[in-house]
Amino acid sequence: MRCYLRAFLLCMVFTFFSLLYVFSQLASTLEHGDEWRVKERGVPDKSGHDAGSPLRKSPGLSGLRGRGGGLDSARSGSAIKGHSNERSHLAVVACGPRLEETLTMLKSAVLFSKKPLHFYIFAEDELHDSFRDALESWPRMIQTKFNFTIYPITFPKENAKDWKKLFKPCASQRLFLPVGLHSFFIHNTCNSSTFTKYAHKFFFFMSIFQLILKEVDSLLYVDTDILFLQPVEDIWALLSQFNSSHLAAMAPEHEEPRIGWYNRFARHPYYGKTGINSGVMLMNMTRLREKFFKNDMTAVALKWEEILMPLLQKYKLNITWGDQDLLNIIFYHNPESLYVFPCQWNYRPDHCIYGSNCQQAEQEGVFILHGNRGVYHDDKQPAFRAVYEAIQKYQFGENMEASLLLPLEASLRTTTHTYCGRASHLFTKRLKRSIMSVQRDAPPGR
């Protein structure tokens, strides 16, 4: 108990100093772009008349503060007026061997989206050049559809090698997205590898709130193993369905309680009947910053940055899926704040491994494919791997029907010995529509 009390008290102190640290680094970045090594590539925006629009806080109307030299300055199309031209903001964390997987995810986003995108890529330093070179090598016509910003992942200078070996690269490195004081606090308070390994995405969320919360009103976070089968702006449009209390949106963890994990095994509170999955998370960050969250640790509602560390301290011995479990706990106590979107927006092997159990996908097809548990890279779910490889191998500029859809359909026909293979027509149902739409609107001569 003494350790917990000490952790809670120090959390308050270090949160304050962390904010000071981050703000000082942001100021330094704006003046001396190389000090934090934040790399941004902006494409001139043809709708330049709207640069400098104020931040818009209503759900579904994402905007950027129009100030020169900011993280998303006027040259990046800071705040595109009108829903029809709205820029979607997409964030991802990539470390270690996740470079190619992340690029394939970004590729799927660009292929089918018709509205402008901005990518926020959090990656370890040795991947920065690879990301920049890869994205800038894409054809000019493709580059005009997106901007990107690359942020560093930082470790404390002391024992940095030990931290890198603590857990999988993304897991431990996401702990130190520039909230260095938080990572130092974790390491020196209880010195628990179990404690630290589960905090990765939670501190990613905390870090992006501190880094770009002031700049971006709304954000779509996705894991690296996501593939968009229809335009990003379609899920972005769900922001307009938020009511006045919603501040985030996720899909259920399971549709079928008989195979659900949370309702059978969880040792902590979880949202709804089967929990929620955090692989695709749409956020109104303005509301997240302003919200006071109810909790089971104190009668006083706490801000997002105040609740994370105490929550992790309380449940560290009872959580299995890390950040996702913590999000489940938060929204268990604040269910009015969560908008739940259907399973076709986050379709995973669990939805077909024992037979198809995502009714919305049965009716409309799969919108976003989530290849968790490494199924894009092994032989456990060949239907998922076939979709990943089809998008990965597709060359920009080629006819998408001939070079992407037809080869994919041929590959999927070889996977019908698996349950997911038998449901693979759901993977191409929406994809066909996306491809037809892109090719219909393509300029003549392509």
Side-chain angles (χ1 to χ4, degrees):
M1 289 300 297
R2 184 176 300 175
C3 175
Y4 288 98
L5 180 59
R6 182 185 178 194
F8 181 79
L9 293 175
L10 288 178
C11 177
M12 300 299 100
V13 176
F14 283 114
T15 296
F16 172 75
F17 284 106
S18 295
L19 290 171
L20 292 180
Y21 171 78
V22 171
F23 292 146
S24 67
Q25 291 296 324
L26 277 173
S28 177
T29 298
L30 294 175
E31 293 181 10
H32 311 287
D34 293 334
E35 288 190 16
W36 256 35
R37 301 176 64 188
V38 177
K39 301 167 185 170
E40 179 172 10
R41 195 271 297 151
V43 175
D45 196 298
K46 294 181 180 180
S47 56
H49 64 279
D50 55 23
S53 297
L55 179 69
R56 290 169 290 177
K57 295 189 178 182
S58 58
L61 296 178
S62 169
L64 305 177
R65 295 187 189 275
R67 65 183 188 189
L71 293 178
D72 212 4
S73 59
R75 68 193 182 105
S76 300
S78 301
I80 301 177
K81 288 183 180 179
H83 188 69
S84 61
N85 292 318
E86 184 180 356
R87 183 178 299 274
S88 301
H89 299 265
L90 179 66
V92 66
V93 175
C95 307
R98 298 287 184 172
L99 171 67
E100 190 61 37
E101 185 175 87
T102 306
L103 288 170
T104 303
M105 180 275 291
L106 298 175
K107 185 178 183 180
S108 72
V110 169
L111 278 176
F112 308 119
S113 294
K114 298 179 181 179
K115 296 178 183 178
L117 299 162
H118 194 114
F119 300 141
Y120 301 89
I121 304 168
F122 294 80
E124 53 193 340
D125 290 350
E126 51 264 40
L127 295 181
H128 286 201
D129 288 343
S130 297
F131 270 113
R132 187 185 65 250
D133 293 345
L135 293 173
E136 291 183 348
S137 71
W138 289 359
R140 180 63 182 173
M141 183 171 292
I142 298 298
Q143 289 192 42
T144 59
K145 298 174 65 175
F146 70 94
N147 302 319
F148 68 87
T149 310
I150 302 178
Y151 297 92
I153 297 175
T154 59
F155 289 93
K157 293 181 180 180
E158 184 179 358
N159 300 323
K161 292 183 179 180
D162 294 334
W163 282 113
K164 289 182 180 181
K165 296 177 182 178
L166 180 65
F167 196 50
K168 295 182 296 185
C170 273
S172 59
Q173 290 178 23
R174 275 187 264 191
L175 275 170
F176 305 108
L177 287 170
V179 191
L181 290 177
H182 282 293
S183 60
F184 179 82
F185 160 65
I186 295 170
H187 181 64
N188 287 277
T189 304
C190 295
N191 195 26
S192 166
S193 60
T194 302
F195 176 78
T196 54
K197 79 175 185 178
Y198 289 136
H200 60 286
K201 201 187 298 177
F202 232 58
F203 281 96
F204 161 71
F205 290 138
M206 187 170 184
S207 299
I208 61 175
F209 295 151
Q210 292 179 338
L211 279 172
I212 62 177
L213 178 62
K214 300 294 185 181
E215 305 297 326
V216 180
D217 174 57
S218 299
L219 188 73
L220 174 63
Y221 167 84
V222 298
D223 287 344
T224 61
D225 51 9
I226 291 296
L227 291 174
F228 293 93
L229 304 184
Q230 70 174 45
V232 175
E233 56 262 25
D234 289 348
I235 188 171
W236 190 258
L238 294 180
L239 286 164
S240 64
Q241 298 185 25
F242 280 22
N243 64 28
S244 59
S245 64
H246 291 146
L247 50 80
M250 286 180 276
E253 172 68 10
H254 287 283
E255 302 301 311
E256 174 52 65
R258 288 176 296 178
I259 62 173
W261 193 92
Y262 284 107
N263 56 290
R264 293 188 296 159
F265 306 115
R267 296 181 294 164
H268 58 76
Y270 57 89
Y271 180 89
K273 294 181 179 180
T274 59
I276 47 176
N277 184 277
S278 62
V280 179
M281 184 174 180
L282 187 62
M283 298 173 283
N284 183 309
M285 292 167 62
T286 301
R287 292 183 177 182
L288 275 166
R289 179 186 63 187
E290 297 172 347
K291 169 77 174 178
F292 284 89
F293 293 87
K294 298 185 293 291
N295 61 87
D296 57 3
M297 299 171 294
T298 173
V300 178
L302 301 174
K303 287 289 192 74
W304 182 266
E305 65 271 16
E306 298 170 334
I307 200 173
L308 303 185
M309 183 63 68
L311 191 66
L312 194 57
Q313 289 275 2
K314 177 175 181 176
Y315 287 103
K316 64 180 181 179
L317 299 179
N318 294 325
I319 59 177
T320 301
W321 307 113
D323 62 283
Q324 181 171 290
D325 291 347
L326 297 176
L327 287 167
N328 268 279
I329 296 168
I330 286 179
F331 288 110
Y332 169 84
H333 293 290
N334 301 270
E336 74 286 349
S337 297
L338 186 67
Y339 177 90
V340 180
F341 48 67
C343 49
Q344 76 261 47
W345 294 103
N346 187 351
Y347 191 95
R348 288 161 282 118
D350 288 337
H351 291 119
C352 56
I353 192 171
Y354 302 116
S356 182
N357 60 53
C358 178
Q359 293 183 2
Q360 292 88 347
E362 290 278 359
Q363 298 169 2
E364 303 176 280
V366 174
F367 297 170
I368 295 178
L369 198 67
H370 185 179
N372 62 335
R373 303 194 187 106
V375 295
Y376 292 151
H377 312 293
D378 59 30
D379 297 322
K380 294 179 180 178
Q381 296 298 334
F384 279 76
R385 183 170 183 171
V387 179
Y388 175 82
E389 291 181 347
I391 294 176
Q392 181 188 37
K393 294 176 181 178
Y394 170 77
Q395 298 295 314
F396 287 116
E398 294 182 351
N399 181 282
M400 277 201 278
E401 183 177 2
S403 300
L404 195 165
L405 181 60
L406 294 179
L408 172 58
E409 290 179 326
S411 295
L412 290 175
R413 285 194 289 270
T414 69
T415 69
T416 54
H417 60 286
T418 67
Y419 281 117
C420 289
R422 294 170 196 166
S424 62
H425 62 285
L426 305 179
F427 299 179
T428 56
K429 186 173 184 177
R430 184 61 56 150
L431 181 62
K432 287 180 182 178
R433 185 182 301 182
S434 298
I435 289 174
M436 291 176 59
S437 178
V438 169
Q439 294 192 159
R440 181 177 61 247
D441 296 341
R446 288 190 63 200

